[in-house]
Amino acid sequence: MFRFCRRIVGSYCESRSTFCLRLFGVLVAVQFIVSVATGQRGDVATPWPFFKPTPQNVTYRIGERAVMKCRVANLESRTITWRRHGQTHPLTIGEFTFAPDPRLSVDHDQKTDEWSLVIEDVRPDDEGSYLCQITVKTDPNKYSYRIQLNVKTVRLTGTEYVELGRPIRLLCNASSRRRYNDQPFDHIAWFFEDRPVDADVTSGLFITTKFETRSVQSTVVIAKSGARHQGVYECRTSGGDTDSMAVHVLDDFLINQRKRNKGIFADRIIGEDGSGRKMPTRASTAAHDSALSIWLQLSLLPSAIYRLILF
């Protein structure tokens, strides 16, 4: 109707008074107000929202911070809702959390239009499919983005870098996938380069296992590390879950070589427990000061030669 009136008034006002032009402007303004109130954009259709690609299969270990990203374009005044697949009640609506679990929250990045569902201290029972949905009047399943969350029940930690002769300590922590289970696993088996590892007191290799209500902890301790102990270690539960990590043994030659290079690169200091951290040392600081002094002297050499020639 407004389009028809605009055409009639427009054709009539082509050679008429200023009053007609003002009337034409009023009609245009009224059409704009009505289009905003009804959600229309005149002759241009409102673009429908769509999901941008983000990872749809993510994996985290127990205790980590799980993040499921959902990126939407052309969202405008619509709302994002997170819910678990198969459940009717929402976890989050917009930037508000409705789940009773305080570990859940939503992170909104306005620059990228990203709505991320965050689960702190992720647990095995958090594993499953999650839906990022756009609130529309039509079928909400048509505007859903599904993400699969996988939770690894086994976590292997310990000595990654160790000086030759220092002890190696590895800890395997396995948790049950079920909420209530008095005996989650029968045992935890250890492997080194795909070969079974057994305790050997004579060689200084000790294995201890501790059973709890919903978890099992197994520890491997090698009293004195050697070159033969360098490689990939793996722990496996009776349920089939595994985790692995590589252990690096640094010999005297490599340690001395790294010490000689401290003036250029910060060395990794190996602690008693095998944990490494980067930190400057007195040798590296002295080498840095010496190099800086030489550079300053060389930079001043051209000016000194110029003064000798000039005077």
Side-chain angles (χ1 to χ4, degrees):
M1 176 179 178
F2 284 105
R3 297 178 185 174
F4 177 76
C5 293
R6 279 172 50 187
R7 292 174 183 174
I8 296 298
V9 175
S11 60
Y12 176 78
C13 292
E14 287 181 355
S15 58
R16 303 296 176 179
S17 62
T18 306
F19 173 79
C20 292
L21 295 177
R22 292 179 178 176
L23 179 61
F24 180 78
V26 171
L27 287 176
V28 172
V30 172
Q31 181 185 5
F32 175 78
I33 295 173
V34 173
S35 64
V36 171
T38 57
Q40 301 176 354
R41 298 293 179 84
D43 298 334
V44 181
T46 303
W48 284 101
F50 64 92
F51 295 100
K52 295 182 179 180
T54 56
Q56 291 186 266
N57 196 316
V58 295
T59 302
Y60 293 93
R61 290 185 175 92
I62 292 178
E64 291 184 336
R65 185 175 187 262
V67 180
M68 288 167 281
K69 298 181 179 181
C70 179
R71 191 172 298 174
V72 184
N74 302 328
L75 183 62
E76 297 185 354
S77 61
R78 303 176 183 90
T79 308
I80 291 294
T81 301
W82 277 98
R83 67 179 72 246
R84 194 159 185 173
H85 181 66
Q87 297 182 358
T88 57
H89 61 276
L91 301 175
T92 65
I93 299 178
E95 298 184 0
F96 299 95
T97 304
F98 290 87
D101 194 339
R103 298 179 301 120
L104 272 68
S105 63
V106 62
D107 185 14
H108 178 211
D109 189 343
Q110 296 181 354
K111 295 181 180 179
T112 59
D113 292 330
E114 194 170 86
W115 299 76
S116 300
L117 180 64
V118 180
I119 303 179
E120 303 287 349
D121 188 21
V122 67
R123 303 169 184 170
D125 50 8
D126 294 324
E127 186 173 84
S129 297
Y130 293 80
L131 299 177
C132 173
Q133 296 181 326
I134 304 175
T135 55
V136 292
K137 295 181 180 179
T138 57
D139 184 10
N141 295 325
K142 184 179 179 181
Y143 294 95
S144 297
Y145 195 76
R146 186 169 178 173
I147 299 178
Q148 175 67 30
L149 172 63
N150 306 303
V151 180
K152 295 187 67 174
T153 59
V154 179
R155 186 175 186 180
L156 179 57
T157 58
T159 307
E160 183 178 0
Y161 295 92
V162 62
E163 185 179 345
L164 184 68
R166 298 291 186 179
I168 298 175
R169 185 177 185 273
L170 303 176
L171 174 63
C172 182
N173 195 334
S175 301
S176 173
R177 290 186 177 275
R178 286 173 284 182
R179 186 180 295 273
Y180 302 106
N181 196 343
D182 294 336
Q183 192 174 2
F185 307 107
D186 295 332
H187 67 279
I188 291 181
W190 286 90
F191 295 84
F192 173 70
E193 297 292 341
D194 293 329
R195 298 190 302 270
V197 175
D198 297 320
D200 188 356
V201 179
T202 58
S203 63
L205 195 155
F206 306 92
I207 299 178
T208 58
T209 303
K210 180 181 179 182
F211 291 89
E212 297 182 356
T213 304
R214 294 185 56 200
S215 65
V216 179
Q217 292 183 353
S218 183
T219 305
V220 166
V221 177
I222 301 175
K224 187 177 181 180
S225 61
R228 66 184 184 279
H229 297 130
Q230 177 169 293
V232 178
Y233 291 81
E234 180 184 6
C235 64
R236 302 177 188 174
T237 67
S238 55
D241 295 327
T242 67
D243 196 12
S244 61
M245 66 174 293
V247 175
H248 306 273
V249 180
L250 306 180
D251 56 17
D252 294 336
F253 174 78
L254 181 58
I255 293 173
N256 293 331
Q257 186 178 17
R258 291 166 70 92
K259 288 180 179 179
R260 287 194 296 268
N261 295 333
K262 285 181 180 179
I264 302 176
F265 301 101
D267 191 19
R268 180 181 288 270
I269 307 300
I270 307 301
E272 290 294 333
D273 58 350
S275 61
R277 65 183 188 278
K278 292 183 178 179
M279 58 181 295
T281 61
R282 293 182 179 179
S284 62
T285 304
H288 178 269
D289 294 341
S290 178
L292 180 60
S293 177
I294 294 174
W295 180 82
L296 290 174
Q297 293 177 11
L298 291 176
S299 63
L300 295 176
L301 184 59
S303 61
I305 295 175
Y306 174 76
R307 289 183 180 180
L308 290 174
I309 295 175
L310 185 61
F311 297 101

